[in-house]
Amino acid sequence: MPHDQRPIGVFDSGVGGLTVLRALQAALPDEPTVYLGDTARVPYGTRSAATVVRYALNNARTLVKRADIKLLVVACNTVSAVALDALRQDLPIPVVGVIEPGARAALAAVGRVDAGIGVLGTAGTVRSGAYPRALAQRGHTGVATAVAAPLFVPLAEEGWTDGDVPRLVAARYLQALPADVEAVVLGCTHYPLLAPVIALALAESHPRARVVDGAAATAVDVTRVLDEQGLRAPSDTHPTHRLFVTDSPEQMARLSRAFLGREVSAAQIELIDVEMTA
Ligand code: DGL
């Protein structure tokens, strides 16, 4: 088997993608990783598709140039919704997004193609129609309802993930979903941090529905692509994990336990500028 010691690159608009990084590191413990949170420009979810494509190209080119990544994981639904084609055309490496795995996880959770499925995402993700499209491509014939839940992003970035405020916000967003949805996809990588309060609110408003997160399914896709293309790292090395941000390493450090499952100090997080060439 050929091996490739280069890292897997992962990026998001901010700290949300750390929830995907965590699933990747759990599934692929031998793989080195490098994560970029574009914290100077978060949120992406309220911006136009053209701006999101430009930011995505900036981030991806930065990871290729600075870290020589072998595969890119777009750990952001907003970017996955509008920029996957542009990234695939631009980069010489495989690109894996989070929407297709999220749709697959939702269908697996409901176990029926005609079940009602709800999606919570950013305004950009909802506007793109990417989830209903991905679900339909996988054979879903039921109603797919996507609802924009933009307030979850600053709540997650602030680490304000439990108590009355996020629960009331969740209850309000869930009102927009049809009564018969059987699954609610967390269609933004910031939202898994709020999964417990979303589940509490959902138990009140839609007791038959469950919360779905596509992070583990994304790790399955990454594993498959690494295997298909002979890109796995050798198993006898200690992988390094680098973290980049474009603003405030302290903020990511403060949230690292919640998002990544382990404490990282600000000194271990590199403050960088992205390539502005796109
Ligand atoms: N975490 C991102 C997503 O998955 C977007 C959050 C934002 O920047 O608005 O969509």
Side-chain angles (χ1 to χ4, degrees), residues 191-205:
Y191 299 176
L193 261 286
L194 291 133
V197 284
I198 295 171
L200 275 179
L202 196 64
E204 301 253 309
S205 60

PDB file of all heavy atoms in Angstrom, residues 191-205:
ATOM      1  N   TYR A 191     -23.587  24.078  14.757  1.00  0.00           N
ATOM      2  CA  TYR A 191     -24.780  23.694  15.518  1.00  0.00           C
ATOM      3  C   TYR A 191     -24.620  22.476  16.429  1.00  0.00           C
ATOM      4  O   TYR A 191     -25.337  22.391  17.434  1.00  0.00           O
ATOM      5  CB  TYR A 191     -25.976  23.466  14.583  1.00  0.00           C
ATOM      6  CG  TYR A 191     -26.411  24.668  13.754  1.00  0.00           C
ATOM      7  CD1 TYR A 191     -27.440  24.542  12.822  1.00  0.00           C
ATOM      8  CD2 TYR A 191     -25.823  25.919  13.898  1.00  0.00           C
ATOM      9  CE1 TYR A 191     -27.853  25.630  12.052  1.00  0.00           C
ATOM     10  CE2 TYR A 191     -26.229  27.003  13.118  1.00  0.00           C
ATOM     11  CZ  TYR A 191     -27.239  26.850  12.200  1.00  0.00           C
ATOM     12  OH  TYR A 191     -27.645  27.902  11.431  1.00  0.00           O
ATOM     13  N   PRO A 192     -23.730  21.511  16.115  1.00  0.00           N
ATOM     14  CA  PRO A 192     -23.606  20.368  17.035  1.00  0.00           C
ATOM     15  C   PRO A 192     -23.310  20.779  18.476  1.00  0.00           C
ATOM     16  O   PRO A 192     -23.683  20.074  19.410  1.00  0.00           O
ATOM     17  CB  PRO A 192     -22.449  19.556  16.428  1.00  0.00           C
ATOM     18  CG  PRO A 192     -22.538  19.852  14.975  1.00  0.00           C
ATOM     19  CD  PRO A 192     -22.952  21.288  14.881  1.00  0.00           C
ATOM     20  N   LEU A 193     -22.674  21.943  18.649  1.00  0.00           N
ATOM     21  CA  LEU A 193     -22.429  22.424  20.009  1.00  0.00           C
ATOM     22  C   LEU A 193     -23.724  22.719  20.743  1.00  0.00           C
ATOM     23  O   LEU A 193     -23.796  22.701  21.970  1.00  0.00           O
ATOM     24  CB  LEU A 193     -21.580  23.694  19.940  1.00  0.00           C
ATOM     25  CG  LEU A 193     -20.099  23.497  20.197  1.00  0.00           C
ATOM     26  CD1 LEU A 193     -19.849  23.267  21.667  1.00  0.00           C
ATOM     27  CD2 LEU A 193     -19.583  22.303  19.405  1.00  0.00           C
ATOM     28  N   LEU A 194     -24.758  23.027  19.981  1.00  0.00           N
ATOM     29  CA  LEU A 194     -26.054  23.329  20.577  1.00  0.00           C
ATOM     30  C   LEU A 194     -26.980  22.122  20.526  1.00  0.00           C
ATOM     31  O   LEU A 194     -28.163  22.233  20.857  1.00  0.00           O
ATOM     32  CB  LEU A 194     -26.699  24.516  19.854  1.00  0.00           C
ATOM     33  CG  LEU A 194     -25.959  25.838  20.103  1.00  0.00           C
ATOM     34  CD1 LEU A 194     -25.726  26.582  18.818  1.00  0.00           C
ATOM     35  CD2 LEU A 194     -26.724  26.701  21.076  1.00  0.00           C
ATOM     36  N   ALA A 195     -26.453  20.968  20.125  1.00  0.00           N
ATOM     37  CA  ALA A 195     -27.302  19.776  19.948  1.00  0.00           C
ATOM     38  C   ALA A 195     -28.129  19.461  21.197  1.00  0.00           C
ATOM     39  O   ALA A 195     -29.328  19.158  21.072  1.00  0.00           O
ATOM     40  CB  ALA A 195     -26.471  18.574  19.521  1.00  0.00           C
ATOM     41  N   PRO A 196     -27.563  19.549  22.422  1.00  0.00           N
ATOM     42  CA  PRO A 196     -28.399  19.219  23.592  1.00  0.00           C
ATOM     43  C   PRO A 196     -29.611  20.146  23.746  1.00  0.00           C
ATOM     44  O   PRO A 196     -30.711  19.666  24.005  1.00  0.00           O
ATOM     45  CB  PRO A 196     -27.430  19.368  24.773  1.00  0.00           C
ATOM     46  CG  PRO A 196     -26.072  19.157  24.177  1.00  0.00           C
ATOM     47  CD  PRO A 196     -26.145  19.724  22.796  1.00  0.00           C
ATOM     48  N   VAL A 197     -29.432  21.467  23.552  1.00  0.00           N
ATOM     49  CA  VAL A 197     -30.602  22.355  23.704  1.00  0.00           C
ATOM     50  C   VAL A 197     -31.554  22.206  22.531  1.00  0.00           C
ATOM     51  O   VAL A 197     -32.773  22.307  22.695  1.00  0.00           O
ATOM     52  CB  VAL A 197     -30.245  23.854  23.873  1.00  0.00           C
ATOM     53  CG1 VAL A 197     -29.734  24.170  25.243  1.00  0.00           C
ATOM     54  CG2 VAL A 197     -29.363  24.381  22.806  1.00  0.00           C
ATOM     55  N   ILE A 198     -31.018  21.945  21.339  1.00  0.00           N
ATOM     56  CA  ILE A 198     -31.900  21.724  20.182  1.00  0.00           C
ATOM     57  C   ILE A 198     -32.739  20.459  20.435  1.00  0.00           C
ATOM     58  O   ILE A 198     -33.946  20.443  20.196  1.00  0.00           O
ATOM     59  CB  ILE A 198     -31.085  21.623  18.870  1.00  0.00           C
ATOM     60  CG1 ILE A 198     -30.404  22.969  18.570  1.00  0.00           C
ATOM     61  CG2 ILE A 198     -31.977  21.213  17.701  1.00  0.00           C
ATOM     62  CD1 ILE A 198     -29.393  22.945  17.425  1.00  0.00           C
ATOM     63  N   ALA A 199     -32.100  19.425  20.960  1.00  0.00           N
ATOM     64  CA  ALA A 199     -32.831  18.178  21.246  1.00  0.00           C
ATOM     65  C   ALA A 199     -33.917  18.407  22.296  1.00  0.00           C
ATOM     66  O   ALA A 199     -35.029  17.864  22.182  1.00  0.00           O
ATOM     67  CB  ALA A 199     -31.861  17.091  21.693  1.00  0.00           C
ATOM     68  N   LEU A 200     -33.612  19.228  23.305  1.00  0.00           N
ATOM     69  CA  LEU A 200     -34.614  19.528  24.343  1.00  0.00           C
ATOM     70  C   LEU A 200     -35.822  20.241  23.747  1.00  0.00           C
ATOM     71  O   LEU A 200     -36.977  19.874  24.009  1.00  0.00           O
ATOM     72  CB  LEU A 200     -34.008  20.447  25.415  1.00  0.00           C
ATOM     73  CG  LEU A 200     -33.236  19.815  26.549  1.00  0.00           C
ATOM     74  CD1 LEU A 200     -32.701  20.907  27.481  1.00  0.00           C
ATOM     75  CD2 LEU A 200     -34.157  18.852  27.315  1.00  0.00           C
ATOM     76  N   ALA A 201     -35.544  21.253  22.932  1.00  0.00           N
ATOM     77  CA  ALA A 201     -36.631  22.006  22.311  1.00  0.00           C
ATOM     78  C   ALA A 201     -37.418  21.125  21.349  1.00  0.00           C
ATOM     79  O   ALA A 201     -38.651  21.203  21.267  1.00  0.00           O
ATOM     80  CB  ALA A 201     -36.068  23.232  21.591  1.00  0.00           C
ATOM     81  N   LEU A 202     -36.698  20.243  20.643  1.00  0.00           N
ATOM     82  CA  LEU A 202     -37.347  19.356  19.673  1.00  0.00           C
ATOM     83  C   LEU A 202     -38.268  18.350  20.375  1.00  0.00           C
ATOM     84  O   LEU A 202     -39.346  18.011  19.859  1.00  0.00           O
ATOM     85  CB  LEU A 202     -36.262  18.619  18.877  1.00  0.00           C
ATOM     86  CG  LEU A 202     -36.674  17.942  17.576  1.00  0.00           C
ATOM     87  CD1 LEU A 202     -37.155  18.960  16.554  1.00  0.00           C
ATOM     88  CD2 LEU A 202     -35.507  17.136  16.994  1.00  0.00           C
ATOM     89  N   ALA A 203     -37.846  17.896  21.548  1.00  0.00           N
ATOM     90  CA  ALA A 203     -38.666  16.934  22.289  1.00  0.00           C
ATOM     91  C   ALA A 203     -40.023  17.545  22.639  1.00  0.00           C
ATOM     92  O   ALA A 203     -41.034  16.844  22.737  1.00  0.00           O
ATOM     93  CB  ALA A 203     -37.941  16.495  23.552  1.00  0.00           C
ATOM     94  N   GLU A 204     -40.044  18.863  22.802  1.00  0.00           N
ATOM     95  CA  GLU A 204     -41.309  19.558  23.109  1.00  0.00           C
ATOM     96  C   GLU A 204     -42.157  19.755  21.860  1.00  0.00           C
ATOM     97  O   GLU A 204     -43.362  19.532  21.877  1.00  0.00           O
ATOM     98  CB  GLU A 204     -41.003  20.954  23.664  1.00  0.00           C
ATOM     99  CG  GLU A 204     -40.174  20.967  24.910  1.00  0.00           C
ATOM    100  CD  GLU A 204     -41.014  21.324  26.123  1.00  0.00           C
ATOM    101  OE1 GLU A 204     -41.705  22.346  26.041  1.00  0.00           O
ATOM    102  OE2 GLU A 204     -40.975  20.565  27.114  1.00  0.00           O
ATOM    103  N   SER A 205     -41.493  20.215  20.769  1.00  0.00           N
ATOM    104  CA  SER A 205     -42.262  20.620  19.596  1.00  0.00           C
ATOM    105  C   SER A 205     -42.494  19.485  18.598  1.00  0.00           C
ATOM    106  O   SER A 205     -43.517  19.444  17.912  1.00  0.00           O
ATOM    107  CB  SER A 205     -41.579  21.789  18.879  1.00  0.00           C
ATOM    108  OG  SER A 205     -40.278  21.411  18.445  1.00  0.00           O
TER     109      SER A 205
END
